[in-house]
Amino acid sequence: MEHQEVADSKTDPLCISQLKLSSSLDPLPPANMTGDLLKSHRHSPIKVQGSEETWGVEDDDDDLTDPNFDTVEGNGHSDPTSCFDADLSEYKKKATVIVEEYFGTNDVVSVANELKELGMPEYRYYFVKKLVSMAMDRHDKEKEMAAFLLSTLYADVIDPPEVYRGFNKLVASADDLSVDIPDAVDVLAVFVARAIVDDILPPAFLKKQMKLLPDNSKGVEVLRKAEKSYLATPLHAEVVEKRWGGTDNWTAEDVKARINDLLKEYVMSGDKKEAFRCIKGLKVPFFHHEIVKRALIMAMERRKAEVRLLDLLKETIEVGLINSTQVTKGFSRIIDSIEDLSLDIPDARRILQSFISKAASEGWLCASSLKSLSPDAGEKLLENSSANVFKDKAKSIIREYFLSGDTSEVVHCLDTELNASSSQLRAIFVKYLITLAMDRKKREKEMACVLVSTLGFPPKDVRNAFSMLIESADDTALDNPVVVEDLAMFLARAVVDEVLAPRDLEEVLNQTPEAGSSVGEKVIQMAKTLLKARLSGERILRCWGGGGIETNSPGSTVKEVKEKIQILLEEYVSGGDLREASRCVKELGMPFFHHEVVKKSVVRIIEEKENEERLWKLLKVCFDSGLVTIYQMTKGFKRVDESLEDLSLDVPDAAKKFSSCVERGKLEGFLDESFASEESQSKKQNGSSSSSG
């Protein structure tokens, strides 16, 4: 989906690293020196952020005496003998040792701890490169270990931009790797495909890198092979995941399922020795926090099993089977998700507090290392009476909507009922919307999908809604025998409409109280099957009529709609027929997707491909006529904001131009005065933090 094309971090990691290092290691340079450094960045011929040279081949042993040595990777100093260059050299040596030790021990926890102790997160792209390049020249076991390690450390230890940059370097250095590794192209292609399957690399990586590499380079061969030989084949995810391990190596989801099974069996039998044997048999000490998390949730849900489960955790720590770091992480993950848990276990916060007190008093948990469970004013749980009042109003709003089809009226009504902290109420609204739609005809089901997309609720709230729907599926089945099929289709449609990301499917299952339940697994598996099918987007959009509620269009795939928008903008810019362009936007029949019109228009303005005033006129007419709502307008600007890092590769001053577009949008009335880009928000935060310091 398109939102996966956006880099997960909204801020350039290189800029962050320079700020961190300059503030912690070196006094601020004099004004004239600052100017010299800026000039050296602007005119450096190699690896300047945003240019094609950024992706040039980087040898593992960069010549630090080379006058063209990257001042960005040197962290802001053109002097090759500076302490920053020494830090990078030292990091490379230690990274190599860490990888060597990992291949010998298979201890992911040690790798995570060593990387954290080593610090310098801005260099972790090199660790990614080194890990994969060393694994490429070894057996399948090491290749699988490398892929699994990256997936495990992603986001938690290694930031998404560093993973992206590491693969960047790998693909660019494919020609060099092929000299020593005859099958380097194929092996690296599998690594790239595996990273995309594991959701640690966006699919857009393939096309973006192809544009930046010479056509005859090995890197292009790698990307083409990854796309055509691995990602375009039937059941590609299963094929790629088992390429180096088959059934001998489990995915994270396999491990979660086994953990769930062993805990259920232990609750039934009470056999600790068997439970210990199963935990050892998993051979995933770095993943033991999942055992702690699932055991605590199960103890919350099954109060009769509480004593037995807490006793199991206590003894696993006492015998050294689970270490204190994993215990702390397991409790921390529960604390982070306590608000979501409270939707299904009203007493979750109080119960967890009692678990923490008990574990701390018995000595198997350091409570001081955990964040407070006391809710802030904005995070206090809603009173049951308030929730019940809203449920009645929600049903009334939804019934009115099914009669009128007026999404703007729904938005207006919810604005008066909800505020920024109403996460629980948003989830309840989506739950009731889908529940009522499932009991009606295709028209209402299609209308429900359109409304969910139009409302633009946070993915977390939509996930919570589906978790509640799955939980109540058995009761719903009394009136709707095909509840599993309906829920799977709604879930798949949410992914196609970019309301949820593909990886959110597993989160839905994890957030379900009976995680691993047959109903939940069936829904998730069926949704995945629907999404993997050939022409899945088109089929899912057309299942209940497609094309939105305002037309009788048979529906289109997301890709087709994007192409139509691109064509209508090109025709409008060349011909200037404003009325025809507005008609084409309306005939798309997908008002919930009008944010794409806004996004593509703003991107074209930033790229300065044509007369920008014509595009501003189109946006104004669409807005003034109500064709594009302020919610779709804001969403379109937000999506441009999220993709600024990628845009900057082609338009170096994209951020500056986008800021001008935001100001123009506010003047025209398209955007609320409170709208602020990620960049300006970070500047405000940095300014406030520096002023407070």
Side-chain angles (χ1 to χ4, degrees):
M1 308 308 299
E2 179 156 328
H3 65 274
Q4 290 177 306
E5 299 174 20
V6 179
D8 291 308
S9 175
K10 310 289 189 308
T11 315
D12 187 345
L14 302 181
C15 296
I16 294 175
S17 66
Q18 293 170 32
L19 289 172
K20 286 182 179 177
L21 288 169
S22 62
S23 60
S24 60
L25 297 177
D26 213 11
L28 289 172
N32 59 344
M33 185 182 293
T34 305
D36 292 340
L37 290 177
L38 290 172
K39 288 176 184 176
S40 72
H41 280 285
R42 289 193 193 104
H43 301 297
S44 175
I46 295 179
K47 304 175 188 171
V48 177
Q49 178 70 6
S51 68
E52 292 189 8
E53 287 82 354
T54 302
W55 317 119
V57 175
E58 178 207 49
D59 187 70
D60 287 350
D61 301 311
D62 288 316
D63 183 3
L64 301 183
T65 62
D66 185 343
N68 287 331
F69 179 70
D70 182 13
T71 59
V72 174
E73 289 188 18
N75 289 283
H77 288 264
S78 56
D79 179 6
T81 61
S82 69
C83 63
F84 300 106
D85 298 336
D87 285 343
L88 179 56
S89 295
E90 186 65 21
Y91 187 93
K92 290 184 174 184
K93 292 176 185 176
K94 291 182 178 179
T96 303
V97 172
I98 293 172
V99 174
E100 288 282 5
E101 289 180 352
Y102 170 64
F103 286 151
T105 64
N106 196 17
D107 189 345
V108 178
V109 175
S110 294
V111 176
N113 291 336
E114 287 173 15
L115 284 176
K116 288 177 181 177
E117 289 174 9
L118 186 55
M120 296 182 283
E122 68 276 5
Y123 292 148
R124 286 180 185 156
Y125 74 89
Y126 177 79
F127 178 80
V128 175
K129 179 185 176 185
K130 195 67 180 176
L131 173 68
V132 174
S133 60
M134 288 176 67
M136 287 173 64
D137 202 24
R138 302 200 178 203
H139 298 296
D140 284 355
K141 175 189 173 186
E142 284 81 7
K143 294 184 180 75
E144 176 63 26
M145 287 170 66
F148 194 76
L149 178 65
L150 288 177
S151 180
T152 305
L153 300 183
Y154 178 77
D156 190 24
V157 177
I158 304 177
D159 291 335
E162 296 302 303
V163 174
Y164 190 102
R165 189 178 177 196
F167 275 94
N168 218 307
K169 301 284 186 183
L170 281 162
V171 173
S173 61
D175 291 281
D176 290 346
L177 290 169
S178 298
V179 174
D180 301 314
I181 307 171
D183 59 345
V185 170
D186 182 64
V187 176
L188 189 51
V190 179
F191 267 111
V192 172
R194 176 67 177 269
I196 291 173
V197 167
D198 287 345
D199 285 333
I200 66 173
L201 202 62
F205 176 86
L206 300 174
K207 291 183 179 178
K208 288 180 181 177
Q209 297 313 302
M210 282 186 193
K211 293 178 181 177
L212 299 171
L213 294 169
D215 291 339
N216 59 349
S217 67
K218 294 287 186 183
V220 171
E221 288 183 37
V222 168
L223 298 170
R224 286 175 179 162
K225 193 171 187 68
E227 182 178 29
K228 295 180 180 179
S229 300
Y230 295 109
L231 295 174
T233 58
L235 301 175
H236 67 273
E238 290 83 350
V239 172
V240 171
E241 285 178 346
K242 295 181 179 180
R243 173 64 184 268
W244 294 318
T247 55
D248 294 332
N249 290 277
W250 306 334
T251 65
E253 297 312 315
D254 294 331
V255 176
K256 288 178 183 179
R258 290 171 187 264
I259 289 171
N260 211 55
D261 290 342
L262 79 84
L263 289 174
K264 285 181 178 179
E265 288 177 12
Y266 167 70
V267 168
M268 295 290 291
S269 67
D271 189 342
K272 284 182 189 168
K273 287 185 179 180
E274 177 63 16
F276 288 174
R277 186 191 67 77
C278 291
I279 292 173
K280 288 179 182 177
L282 292 173
K283 296 180 181 179
V284 285
F286 55 89
F287 211 54
H288 282 169
H289 57 82
E290 185 71 19
I291 298 175
V292 178
K293 175 192 171 187
R294 288 181 179 263
L296 292 173
I297 292 176
M298 194 174 289
M300 288 180 182
E301 296 167 350
R302 308 180 184 187
R303 301 309 301 278
K304 291 182 180 179
E306 174 186 324
V307 174
R308 182 169 282 183
L309 286 164
L310 293 180
D311 193 41
L312 174 68
L313 290 179
K314 178 184 176 183
E315 290 206 26
T316 56
I317 285 107
E318 289 176 347
V319 301
L321 190 56
I322 297 179
N323 64 40
S324 58
T325 302
Q326 295 293 302
V327 174
T328 301
K329 188 172 181 180
F331 271 92
S332 296
R333 290 180 64 201
I334 293 288
I335 291 173
D336 289 338
S337 61
I338 193 65
E339 189 177 347
D340 296 335
L341 279 171
S342 298
L343 294 174
D344 307 300
I345 310 172
D347 250 0
R349 192 180 297 270
R350 182 190 60 77
I351 297 170
L352 180 57
Q353 187 62 66
S354 69
F355 289 173
I356 292 172
S357 300
K358 179 179 174 63
S361 64
E362 293 177 351
W364 52 277
L365 173 68
C366 179
S368 61
S369 62
L370 301 175
K371 64 176 70 172
S372 174
L373 255 177
S374 300
D376 296 325
E379 294 177 343
K380 288 182 179 177
L381 294 176
L382 292 160
E383 296 293 335
N384 287 336
S385 57
S386 299
N388 288 333
V389 170
F390 177 76
K391 289 175 184 177
D392 292 335
K393 289 182 179 178
K395 291 177 183 177
S396 176
I397 292 170
I398 293 165
R399 291 190 182 105
E400 287 266 345
Y401 168 65
F402 285 155
L403 290 172
S404 68
D406 190 347
T407 56
S408 60
E409 179 62 22
V410 177
V411 171
H412 173 72
C413 292
L414 290 179
D415 276 347
T416 61
E417 298 292 336
L418 305 177
N419 55 49
S421 61
S422 302
S423 177
Q424 182 183 3
L425 297 185
R426 287 192 290 268
I428 289 173
F429 182 83
V430 175
K431 175 190 174 184
Y432 277 103
L433 173 64
I434 294 176
T435 301
L436 292 173
M438 285 195 296
D439 199 30
R440 301 196 177 206
K441 297 180 180 179
K442 288 184 177 181
R443 173 182 176 273
E444 285 79 8
K445 292 183 174 73
E446 175 66 20
M447 290 175 71
C449 292
V450 171
L451 184 58
V452 170
S453 180
T454 303
L455 291 173
F457 285 167
K460 173 181 143 186
D461 299 336
V462 180
R463 289 199 305 264
N464 291 341
F466 276 105
S467 296
M468 291 190 287
L469 284 163
I470 289 173
E471 180 194 2
S472 59
D474 289 328
D475 294 335
T476 309
L478 297 175
D479 300 313
N480 181 8
V482 292
V483 61
V484 171
E485 291 83 348
D486 277 354
L487 280 179
M489 181 59 74
F490 273 111
L491 197 51
R493 175 64 180 268
V495 174
V496 170
D497 286 345
E498 300 182 5
V499 175
L500 296 176
R503 66 186 306 167
D504 284 331
L505 296 180
E506 294 303 332
E507 280 300 312
V508 169
L509 184 58
N510 292 340
Q511 289 176 7
T512 304
E514 289 295 333
S517 67
S518 58
V519 173
E521 288 177 346
K522 284 179 182 177
V523 170
I524 301 300
Q525 190 56 49
M526 187 172 293
K528 287 182 175 179
T529 301
L530 289 168
L531 290 165
K532 286 179 182 177
R534 184 172 174 271
L535 301 176
S536 60
E538 181 178 358
R539 292 181 178 181
I540 292 168
L541 279 173
R542 293 180 179 178
C543 177
W544 291 318
I549 60 172
E550 296 180 3
T551 72
N552 294 318
S553 166
S556 305
T557 65
V558 170
K559 183 178 179 182
E560 288 171 344
V561 175
K562 289 178 180 178
E563 288 174 353
K564 288 178 181 178
I565 292 171
Q566 188 73 21
I567 292 170
L568 81 83
L569 288 177
E570 289 174 355
E571 289 180 351
Y572 164 66
V573 168
S574 61
D577 191 337
L578 194 56
R579 183 176 295 180
E580 176 65 13
S582 301
R583 186 186 63 79
C584 290
V585 172
K586 186 174 183 179
E587 287 187 355
L588 288 172
M590 300 177 77
F592 57 93
F593 206 61
H594 284 171
H595 57 79
E596 183 71 16
V597 177
V598 179
K599 178 194 170 186
K600 288 190 181 296
S601 297
V602 175
V603 168
R604 295 176 81 94
I605 291 170
I606 290 173
E607 292 176 341
E608 295 182 339
K609 288 186 174 179
E610 54 267 314
N611 184 353
E612 65 180 56
E613 284 305 315
R614 282 190 175 178
L615 291 167
W616 282 116
K617 284 181 181 177
L618 176 63
L619 291 178
K620 182 169 178 58
V621 167
C622 288
F623 179 78
D624 290 344
S625 65
L627 191 56
V628 176
T629 66
I630 192 169
Y631 306 97
Q632 291 294 308
M633 192 70 73
T634 303
K635 187 174 180 181
F637 272 79
K638 281 183 178 178
R639 292 184 62 213
V640 177
D641 188 22
E642 291 166 356
S643 62
L644 279 180
E645 186 176 343
D646 291 346
L647 271 173
S648 297
L649 297 176
D650 300 314
V651 186
D653 60 342
K656 182 179 179 181
K657 290 181 177 178
F658 178 66
S659 296
S660 299
C661 289
V662 170
E663 294 305 315
R664 174 75 178 264
K666 290 178 180 179
L667 287 173
E668 298 284 359
F670 305 157
L671 298 176
D672 189 82
E673 285 297 324
S674 62
F675 182 93
S677 67
E678 291 289 338
E679 182 184 24
S680 62
Q681 286 176 351
S682 64
K683 283 181 180 178
K684 286 181 181 178
Q685 291 171 359
N686 291 336
S688 60
S689 61
S690 61
S691 61
S692 62

